[in-house]
Amino acid sequence: MTRGQTFKRCIIVDDDPDILLSARLLLRDLFEEVATFQTPEEAMAAMDEALPDVVLLDANFGRGATNAAEGFHWLTEILKHDPDAVVVMITAHGGVQIAVEAMKRGATDFISKPWSNERLLATVRTAAALRNTREEATTERKRAAVIATPAGGSETPILGNSPGMARVFSLIERAAPTEANVLILGENGTGKELVARALHEKSRRAGNVFVSVDLGAVAENLFESELFGHVKGAFTDARGDRIGRLQAANGGTLFLDEVGNLPLHLQPKLLTALEQREVTPVGANRPVPIDVRVIAATNLPPDRLADEGLFRQDLLFRLNTVEIDLPPLRDRRRDVPMLVDHFTGFYSRKYGKPPRAIPADVARALEEYDWPGNVRALRHACERAVILGDGEAFTVDDFSLSRAAAPRPAAATVPAAPSGGDDLNLERAERNMIEAALKRHGYNISLAAQDLGLTRASLYRRMEKHGL
């Protein structure tokens, strides 16, 4: 910290008004705010409103007191209130012995009355710099904890040489080096997160973090805490400070997956944070600046995004500086052989299986199949085929395709979920129910999960289990 830089806040606690005035005048150029109090109780109340960078605390308050008992008591109370507090004890009696005891109890340093102005300035400047260092270290630890949360990555690369994918690759190359916000459109399973990661890896922020948050999986009552963070005591379960996803992504890229599932009444909160480039953690009274590039994704079609009753248009304009529309796999069938070769090879190596041939009739059946779950479904089918298949070559049955070129039913003709009929096999019944729910809702995972009474994560696990 150089002498020309200032800190935010200093609190001075002393029962002598002359000491308070002298210290405030001396430190006013070092801090944006210097608050003075004659009683520790007043100072503690002020700390409830905003934590200081440094507290200067008198060792004795009672008339004639010299043992620093009161100062030690309030030192303990301050550290209970803020474990990272930086406290400089002001001593007048007892000298080194009291100073040593104060530092054993958690004080950062001490200053003796009468003080040297140069000594006081140097001590307080060093203490304030220590506070900043502690805060940065704490923020980095919390940030690392958020970033370490699994983001649902995949072994799937972005593969394809169809015209639709050529357009996608071109947009990635042109948009990635810029700071423009990007909105990725596409059905579930088309690889929206993979495109987001590619944009990050080709951007100027590639050396910084990529933080992903699935807005479809965030409960409404946890939205602000998850995205903006919270401070200790902000609500019943807030047992400690926690930084949110936006702050964790500072300097890097924030991927807002399933942004179309964000309830309308929460959308203004996200818009405000993106417009003002700052967040205020729940329970805090001071905003935190953020520097993030936002990439969002949704499976909502453009006509539904344009509906003001579903999605705020000012938020949409903030997010879709560049739009990348990922085609479903049925619209780029020529990419299927390349993907099948990749996935069967990948899983053969992963599970120690010998490579197997893909006969022409099998390749044709895979290419003609509609793949309602898109690339994700193809990947699961390839993994299952590698694990369960026998012989030197794959068969259509290895991939569990009911029929080639299975048409994707229109929403109006989707039958109701089966009641079970005469088939009492639980596994098949569960699979049929999930398939029916997916078809009924046009493969919208959130709506299907809601219809089934499941969370999105639970539905994904069951889809993977049944190869859907």
Side-chain angles (χ1 to χ4, degrees):
M1 178 64 61
T2 62
R3 289 180 182 273
Q5 293 176 298
T6 59
F7 300 92
K8 290 181 180 177
R9 193 172 195 235
C10 175
I11 284 180
I12 309 170
V13 194
D14 197 295
D15 58 355
D16 186 337
D18 292 335
I19 292 290
L20 294 178
L21 177 61
S22 175
R24 184 172 65 82
L25 293 175
L26 184 62
L27 299 175
R28 63 184 178 181
D29 291 334
L30 190 58
F31 295 90
E32 295 174 10
E33 177 190 359
V34 178
T36 60
F37 303 95
Q38 289 187 260
T39 68
E41 291 86 354
E42 292 176 308
M44 291 293 291
M47 288 182 65
D48 285 334
E49 297 178 5
L51 295 177
D53 294 299
V54 179
V55 177
L56 271 69
L57 176 66
D58 192 14
N60 295 290
F61 292 92
R63 182 180 297 275
T66 61
N67 61 3
E70 277 191 289
F72 292 155
H73 167 76
W74 288 108
L75 170 63
T76 301
E77 291 301 308
I78 289 171
L79 292 174
K80 283 181 183 178
H81 183 80
D82 176 16
D84 291 328
V86 171
V87 182
V88 175
M89 189 71 78
I90 304 172
T91 65
H93 304 282
V96 174
Q97 183 177 353
I98 287 179
V100 170
E101 181 63 23
M103 295 179 74
K104 285 181 180 179
R105 292 172 181 247
T108 300
D109 208 335
F110 71 97
I111 193 78
S112 298
K113 303 175 188 175
W115 58 61
S116 155
N117 288 347
E118 290 76 14
R119 160 78 173 153
L120 178 61
L121 280 170
T123 299
V124 174
R125 181 183 288 110
T126 301
L130 174 63
R131 171 70 185 215
N132 277 11
T133 301
R134 286 181 180 175
E135 286 184 342
E136 289 169 3
T138 300
T139 298
E140 285 304 312
R141 286 196 300 272
K142 292 174 182 174
R143 185 182 187 193
V146 171
I147 295 169
T149 303
S154 167
E155 302 93 346
T156 312
I158 307 178
L159 295 176
N161 52 23
S162 60
M165 290 308 294
R167 287 192 294 272
V168 170
F169 293 138
S170 174
L171 286 170
I172 291 173
E173 291 297 327
R174 285 181 286 163
T178 73
E179 286 292 295
N181 291 338
V182 179
L183 178 63
I184 306 169
L185 305 175
E187 296 176 6
N188 287 304
T190 49
K192 296 187 287 294
E193 181 167 344
L194 296 174
V195 171
R197 290 184 181 276
L199 287 163
H200 172 71
E201 289 163 5
K202 294 176 181 294
S203 75
R204 298 169 187 169
R205 297 173 180 260
N208 293 319
V209 296
F210 176 94
V211 176
S212 175
V213 54
D214 182 353
L215 292 177
V218 177
E220 290 186 26
N221 62 325
L222 297 178
F223 170 79
E224 289 185 79
S225 174
E226 182 70 21
L227 264 69
F228 308 148
H230 63 250
V231 298
K232 181 180 179 180
F235 47 86
T236 304
D237 293 328
R239 298 183 178 88
D241 292 355
R242 183 183 187 276
I243 68 171
R245 296 279 174 163
L246 274 79
Q247 192 179 351
N250 197 43
T253 301
L254 177 69
F255 177 50
L256 299 174
D257 197 8
E258 302 295 357
V259 70
N261 290 341
L262 186 62
L264 193 63
H265 69 278
L266 294 178
Q267 292 174 21
K269 298 178 184 294
L270 175 60
L271 176 63
T272 299
L274 298 181
E275 285 182 336
Q276 298 181 357
R277 303 183 71 82
E278 64 181 25
V279 296
T280 301
V282 179
N285 54 20
R286 192 162 64 184
V288 179
I290 55 170
D291 170 26
V292 298
R293 184 198 189 173
V294 176
I295 300 174
T298 180
N299 57 17
L300 288 182
D303 60 324
R304 296 194 67 191
L305 278 177
D307 184 349
E308 280 276 9
L310 291 175
F311 206 84
R312 288 181 62 107
Q313 297 307 288
D314 46 3
L315 177 57
L316 179 62
F317 296 148
R318 172 67 58 172
L319 296 174
N320 72 341
T321 305
V322 176
E323 276 190 11
I324 298 179
D325 195 351
L326 275 175
L329 196 51
R330 63 184 177 277
D331 289 345
R332 55 183 187 106
R333 299 180 189 276
R334 62 186 283 183
D335 293 334
V336 171
M338 179 189 300
L339 289 163
V340 171
D341 284 343
H342 170 79
F343 289 130
T344 54
F346 174 85
Y347 288 115
S348 293
R349 293 188 297 273
K350 179 177 180 178
Y351 297 118
K353 300 280 189 175
R356 302 168 66 200
I358 302 177
D361 63 321
V362 176
R364 185 168 56 256
L366 295 175
E367 189 171 341
E368 291 176 352
Y369 189 67
D370 266 357
W371 297 109
N374 293 297
V375 179
R376 182 187 293 121
L378 174 61
R379 176 166 65 90
H380 292 326
C382 290
E383 182 177 16
R384 183 175 56 251
V386 168
I387 294 172
L388 301 178
D390 294 318
E392 295 182 356
F394 288 108
T395 68
V396 172
D397 289 342
D398 291 335
F399 295 90
S400 297
L401 304 183
S402 57
R403 62 189 183 278
R408 188 179 182 198
T413 62
V414 175
S419 60
D422 296 328
D423 189 351
L424 298 180
N425 183 281
L426 286 176
E427 290 292 308
R428 286 193 296 271
E430 182 180 69
R431 188 182 197 280
N432 291 339
M433 290 290 289
I434 292 172
E435 275 192 303
L438 289 169
K439 290 175 182 177
R440 173 179 292 170
H441 296 289
Y443 294 87
N444 182 303
I445 299 295
S446 297
L447 294 178
Q450 183 178 356
D451 206 9
L452 291 165
L454 300 172
T455 65
R456 284 169 49 86
S458 295
L459 178 54
Y460 273 129
R461 284 195 296 272
R462 285 169 170 77
M463 288 172 63
E464 187 164 358
K465 168 186 170 184
H466 295 295
L468 295 173

